Amino acid sequence: MTRTVPDFDALDLRHAPADGPVAFGGVLGPRQLLAAYRHGLFPLPAADDYAAAYNEALHGDAVDAGEVALLPGGADPYALAWWSPDPRPVLRPGAVRLPRRLARRLRGAVEWWTTADRAFDAVLAACAEGRRPAWLTEELRAVLIELHGLGAAHSVEVWEGEELIGGVFGVAVGPALSLDSMFHRRPDAARIAVADLGARFGAAGGRLLDAQWDGPYVRSLGAQPTERARYLAELAGGPAADTLPDGRLPAARLA
């Protein structure tokens, strides 16, 4: 039987799928998005009607069986999926790894600089450019920009002179900050963005960087798989981080 829940508070993740969506539907607004992140979920909107129909074809049986919940709101529930992978790849802010070759480059002739929250819209646009599936929809980008204005969504930018060459963005809730997406226009610029974000978030009292999707790249940055139950306990039990330091800093300090 289809399991409909009124909100994220009523969503029981103890028996939710580990490698698939845990819910469909709901409304994609600033309040709802923050509530989702506080409960250890993140959105994956469908790029178009075809993608929504594909979600239904792939996961409709699980929804009908009550294995995946439905949230009220939205014209088509399959246009908005909510994920909470298990295990969850987590980085500690001070433990982001940089390859030795990159550290040597930073100590050499490369002059890169980093900032925080100086070009959030530009980082979003760069992260969305050419990505497939196109989950970073215009609707989601608008909500993230609103959250940025409220101080809940953050970006780190990597600059070569006046050119934006890399960046990362995410949402901060309690002791955690998500790594929603990153981009680079020079080799390793995204790595620098993550390392810089870790340094700034750690300085603000943050404890966790949530890489969301496991894989070789985030493992190379130092991400460790963490059971969903443990991740959720840390998310709920830690104090909120302070404001992210936003000064212009040399990337070489990370070497």
Side-chain angles (χ1 to χ4, degrees):
M1 179 180 294
T2 301
R3 179 165 55 98
T4 302
V5 297
D7 52 36
F8 296 114
D9 288 328
L11 190 61
D12 186 355
L13 296 180
R14 287 176 298 177
H15 305 294
D19 56 357
V22 299
F24 282 100
V27 177
L28 191 59
R31 180 178 60 82
Q32 292 83 0
L33 191 56
L34 272 181
Y37 278 87
R38 289 191 185 102
H39 287 80
L41 291 87
F42 55 87
L44 196 64
D48 49 35
D49 290 343
Y50 175 83
Y54 182 77
N55 278 341
E56 184 173 10
L58 196 61
H59 303 289
D61 288 345
V63 170
D64 292 341
E67 298 166 3
V68 177
L70 282 184
L71 294 162
D76 181 356
Y78 291 98
L80 180 56
W82 299 96
W83 290 70
S84 182
D86 188 11
R88 195 70 161 256
V90 169
L91 296 93
R92 301 297 165 176
V96 179
R97 292 200 297 257
L98 296 178
R100 292 180 180 177
R101 55 171 177 77
L102 177 55
R104 288 194 297 269
R105 287 179 62 207
L106 291 176
R107 289 192 294 262
V110 173
E111 292 189 9
W112 289 356
W113 299 83
T114 65
T115 56
D117 292 328
R118 299 288 182 88
F120 185 83
D121 295 19
V123 171
L124 275 188
C127 287
E129 186 177 344
R131 297 289 178 92
R132 295 292 182 272
W135 63 271
L136 195 51
T137 60
E138 289 292 338
E139 181 185 15
L140 178 54
R141 286 166 62 180
V143 174
L144 288 165
I145 289 170
E146 190 169 348
L147 285 182
H148 175 64
L150 295 172
H154 300 281
S155 64
V156 157
E157 303 87 25
V158 183
W159 306 88
E160 186 175 272
E162 298 301 314
E163 182 183 359
L164 180 63
I165 61 168
V168 62
F169 79 88
V171 176
V173 288
L177 198 157
S178 62
L179 302 176
D180 283 17
S181 189
M182 61 193 79
F183 82 97
H184 68 272
R185 292 175 179 149
R186 299 284 190 281
D188 294 317
R191 290 180 181 270
I192 294 298
V194 174
D196 185 84
L197 179 60
R200 292 176 192 264
F201 192 56
R207 294 185 180 183
L208 305 170
L209 295 177
D210 171 20
Q212 297 182 338
W213 304 103
D214 199 5
Y217 183 75
V218 296
R219 292 288 187 98
S220 74
L221 291 170
Q224 297 294 324
T226 303
E227 291 184 358
R228 181 164 59 201
R230 179 183 170 190
Y231 170 75
L232 294 176
E234 290 198 59
L235 187 62
D242 294 329
T243 302
L244 210 66
D246 64 353
R248 184 173 184 265
L249 298 172
R253 82 190 197 286
L254 301 168

